[in-house]
Amino acid sequence: MHGANIIPTRIDYRVTAASVCSNHQSTSAPRSTRRSQTDPRVTDPNQHTDPTESLLPPTQGARMDASQAREGESAQPETAALPNAEALELEFTPQEIVSTPRRPHRSGRGRVLIVSYYFPPIGLSNVLRIARLAKHLTEFGWDPTVLTVNDVGYFVQDFSLLEEVLESGVQVERTQTMDPVRLLGNKRMKKVPVERYRGFLRGVSHTFLQPDNKIGWKRYALQRAVELMEEHPFDAVFATAPPFTDFMIGRELQKRYGLPLVVDYQDTWLDNPHQFYATPIHRSYAAGLEEDILKNADACVVVNRRIKERLIARYPFLTHDLVHIIPGGYDAKEFQNARRHLAGHTQEKMRITYCGAFDSRHTPKYFFQALSKIFAEQPQTRGEIEVMFVGTLPAVFRKMATNIGVASALVSTGYVEHRNVPGLLLSSHLLWLANYHTASVPGKVYEYMGSGRPILALTEKGALTQTLAPYGAATVVPPTDPQAIAEALLASYQQWKSGTLPEGKRQAAEDYDQRKLAERLARVLAYSVRI
């Protein structure tokens, strides 16, 4: 396995439950199922606490050999029943009584290594989430260091987001990599390739590169992580995926240094539509990797309940309290500033806005067909409806709009720095998106909710509809039904004409304030360190 022989043996900073509690029962369960109840300093990661309390790693600890620290972890796990829907909320109840000495911390703050291949200036929705979490962790007793790749070429880049993260005090360490993205060179922006070619190249690379085509980064990432550990040891590792190579890097560091490992699922692994398995052997190999990582992780974070349910159903050793839901979010301050800037602004046309990109699985085809129906049945709407695309609309979709007869209603902003997106959302009357993966929630949804504007979601029942249910101003229609989409659009148009467009419930949106989500992650990290 790449990089396995480049990490020197080091002293482990952790102790097992057996080493500090001689009368404790056998530690036969996976690492992640052992928790402390008797130490009052151990707090529930899902319980609200003051930001200055219980968010730091332990202050005292003991050292022992890594082989002793991991003794007993190869035994068979205990089996846990799949909880019902009500049990999948975020409350937490520890199950074992263990008293563990605290590990030493430095300068009163914890240090966490965040392993994330994708990071600004790469501009993707999942990048936004991890960048904002890292930024706000600094407010809750943690000093994050992000381990990522050099500034390789990518299809979307946002340097303003990188500036924002660096200004918060987050340290960013970059390494070279050897993977398909590297072949794009170092130009700052790349033309988005035709989707069928992207799919073909993805399939070929996943056939020969496992767990994904970013495995070429592992060796360089581990080498730099070793250097960082020598300079100033970390208290925990937080690995976010995809790509799932990030999990392998985090697991390797855990094995060598005994560091607590928190894995973060921004999408499913085995069920991911972007993961290609050429043979059952490929899928079996990925399943084995995932099982090993989850058995040994100190905590697991997911972005939505659907992913949590699937993981618990597939791996009985996972319990409800070990899998924490920390979704994407929005920056409340950005929307406050945008509202002040737009005070008194009026929009003559009804503006319907889409934020983000399209691919073969997310196409505007059915939306265009629905819009064409409305223009044909009510010609006056053609001069009253404007459809804005925040970002670049590829030529293939502009041609599609021309063929369907709606191109005259479209406006494309081109590249927009993310800090300017809230103003564009707030200047709109209806926000729409298309989603075909029932276990995923596009990152744009949380910012849509942060705007308070009504939302038109073209999707099937799944994680996205669960997220939108409390919002109160979302219409959900099948993504491939132009007639249903047209009816929903026409209803919103009539509400706009009469001044009765609904507003989203503020409380439902406030749950996704990025600062609050970072506070929740800080508690998960602190609890993991105290195992």
Side-chain angles (χ1 to χ4, degrees):
M1 196 170 292
H2 293 285
N5 61 349
I6 67 168
I7 300 183
T9 301
R10 281 182 58 99
I11 299 297
D12 192 339
Y13 296 108
R14 298 176 53 96
V15 294
T16 61
S19 68
V20 297
C21 186
S22 59
N23 61 351
H24 183 62
Q25 301 299 316
S26 171
T27 57
S28 60
R31 174 190 183 98
S32 57
T33 64
R34 300 195 290 274
R35 291 292 187 268
S36 171
Q37 274 189 328
T38 58
D39 189 343
R41 299 164 297 187
V42 178
T43 60
D44 173 354
N46 296 316
Q47 173 185 329
H48 175 73
T49 58
D50 184 89
T52 62
E53 296 177 355
S54 303
L55 298 180
L56 303 180
T59 57
Q60 296 179 349
R63 297 187 178 189
M64 63 181 297
D65 183 82
S67 62
Q68 291 175 289
R70 308 202 56 81
E71 182 179 359
E73 292 181 10
S74 61
Q76 292 300 314
E78 296 174 358
T79 301
L82 176 65
N84 55 31
E86 290 75 48
L88 289 171
E89 296 295 336
L90 293 176
E91 62 272 11
F92 179 85
T93 304
Q95 297 299 318
E96 289 196 347
I97 300 177
V98 182
S99 179
T100 305
R102 290 174 164 231
R103 295 181 41 191
H105 68 81
R106 305 156 189 83
S107 303
R109 296 175 64 84
R111 282 174 48 80
V112 57
L113 179 66
I114 298 176
V115 181
S116 180
Y117 179 95
Y118 294 118
F119 200 74
I122 292 176
L124 296 170
S125 59
N126 58 342
V127 170
L128 177 64
R129 172 180 174 268
I130 199 66
R132 291 281 172 77
L133 286 175
K135 167 189 170 182
H136 290 296
L137 275 177
T138 61
E139 303 174 43
F140 301 105
W142 287 90
D143 293 327
T145 295
V146 178
L147 183 61
T148 187
V149 295
N150 283 335
D151 183 17
V152 297
Y154 211 73
F155 312 124
V156 181
Q157 295 197 327
D158 189 339
F159 285 88
S160 68
L161 184 57
L162 178 60
E163 290 177 16
E164 179 184 324
V165 172
L166 294 176
E167 288 173 359
S168 71
V170 175
Q171 180 181 349
V172 179
E173 295 288 338
R174 298 185 182 276
T175 77
Q176 66 181 105
T177 181
M178 189 58 64
D179 58 62
V181 173
R182 180 76 174 180
L183 300 179
L184 295 175
N186 293 316
K187 292 183 179 179
R188 290 189 173 184
M189 296 290 286
K190 290 292 178 182
K191 182 179 179 181
V192 179
V194 177
E195 179 60 26
R196 65 176 178 271
Y197 296 135
R198 289 182 66 186
F200 172 76
L201 293 175
R202 187 187 304 122
V204 171
S205 63
H206 283 186
T207 299
F208 298 100
L209 302 174
Q210 288 292 320
D212 47 51
N213 57 20
K214 305 302 185 291
I215 191 64
W217 180 50
K218 181 186 174 189
R219 176 165 61 94
Y220 301 103
L222 288 173
Q223 189 170 24
R224 184 57 184 143
V226 168
E227 295 169 353
L228 293 171
M229 280 292 295
E230 295 288 346
E231 296 167 7
H232 201 166
F234 294 97
D235 297 288
V237 177
F238 179 82
T240 184
F244 295 96
T245 290
D246 292 1
F247 282 3
M248 296 182 69
I249 295 167
R251 173 70 176 122
E252 189 70 29
L253 292 172
Q254 182 199 45
K255 287 191 294 186
R256 299 292 178 169
Y257 294 101
L259 290 171
L261 172 64
V262 179
V263 294
D264 175 54
Y265 280 81
Q266 301 205 61
D267 207 339
T268 53
W269 189 340
L270 297 182
D271 303 324
N272 192 323
H274 295 289
Q275 289 289 122
F276 174 75
Y277 301 105
T279 69
I281 295 176
H282 286 76
R283 183 178 177 85
S284 178
Y285 175 73
L289 287 177
E290 182 174 51
E291 181 175 8
D292 173 72
I293 289 167
L294 288 173
K295 276 185 176 180
N296 290 282
D298 296 279
C300 177
V301 172
V302 298
V303 294
N304 63 60
R305 181 177 295 179
R306 279 299 178 97
I307 298 178
K308 176 173 181 172
E309 291 172 348
R310 290 186 179 187
L311 289 176
I312 293 175
R314 179 173 289 122
Y315 302 109
F317 57 82
L318 286 178
T319 58
H320 151 66
D321 54 279
L322 301 178
V323 184
H324 311 278
I325 302 174
I326 301 181
Y330 68 96
D331 191 312
K333 287 187 178 179
E334 283 188 345
F335 279 92
Q336 291 171 3
N337 294 336
R339 284 189 176 91
R340 286 194 293 267
H341 181 73
L342 290 172
H345 173 81
T346 57
Q347 180 70 27
E348 294 183 1
K349 293 184 178 182
M350 179 187 182
R351 176 176 287 177
I352 305 172
T353 296
Y354 180 96
C355 186
F358 291 101
D359 57 29
S360 62
R361 295 182 179 86
H362 302 82
T363 171
K365 172 184 175 181
Y366 305 103
F367 180 90
F368 288 164
Q369 291 175 346
L371 195 62
S372 177
K373 283 178 175 289
I374 294 176
F375 289 166
E377 295 172 4
Q378 299 197 30
Q380 81 281 1
T381 59
R382 185 178 289 274
E384 296 180 316
I385 293 177
E386 172 186 277
V387 179
M388 182 171 69
F389 292 90
V390 179
T392 301
L393 186 64
V396 63
F397 296 123
R398 293 198 300 269
K399 182 178 179 181
M400 177 189 293
T402 299
N403 293 338
I404 295 176
V406 297
S408 61
L410 308 188
V411 175
S412 177
T413 64
Y415 170 75
V416 174
E417 289 186 343
H418 187 270
R419 60 188 172 190
N420 296 323
V421 170
L424 295 173
L425 299 182
L426 289 170
S427 67
S428 304
H429 301 98
L430 178 67
L431 309 175
W432 74 281
L433 74 155
N435 185 54
Y436 299 86
H437 184 22
T438 59
S440 71
V441 179
K444 65 174 70 70
V445 169
Y446 306 108
E447 298 202 307
Y448 281 15
M449 295 173 70
S451 73
R453 296 295 184 260
I455 299 171
L456 174 60
L458 314 185
T459 189
E460 302 291 351
K461 184 177 180 180
L464 176 56
T465 56
Q466 287 180 333
T467 300
L468 290 173
Y471 186 60
T475 301
V476 178
V477 297
T480 58
D481 187 343
Q483 182 60 40
I485 298 171
E487 291 173 0
L489 285 173
L490 189 56
S492 294
Y493 167 78
Q494 292 168 345
Q495 290 174 330
W496 171 73
K497 291 285 286 185
S498 62
T500 58
L501 280 170
E503 293 185 7
K505 295 180 181 178
R506 184 178 298 274
Q507 181 58 51
E510 287 177 350
D511 291 340
Y512 301 102
D513 183 331
Q514 209 109 43
R515 188 176 183 276
K516 295 180 180 178
L517 299 174
E519 181 181 2
R520 190 186 302 175
L521 176 57
R523 291 199 296 270
V524 172
L525 289 170
Y527 193 84
S528 299
V529 171
R530 290 187 171 108
I531 295 174

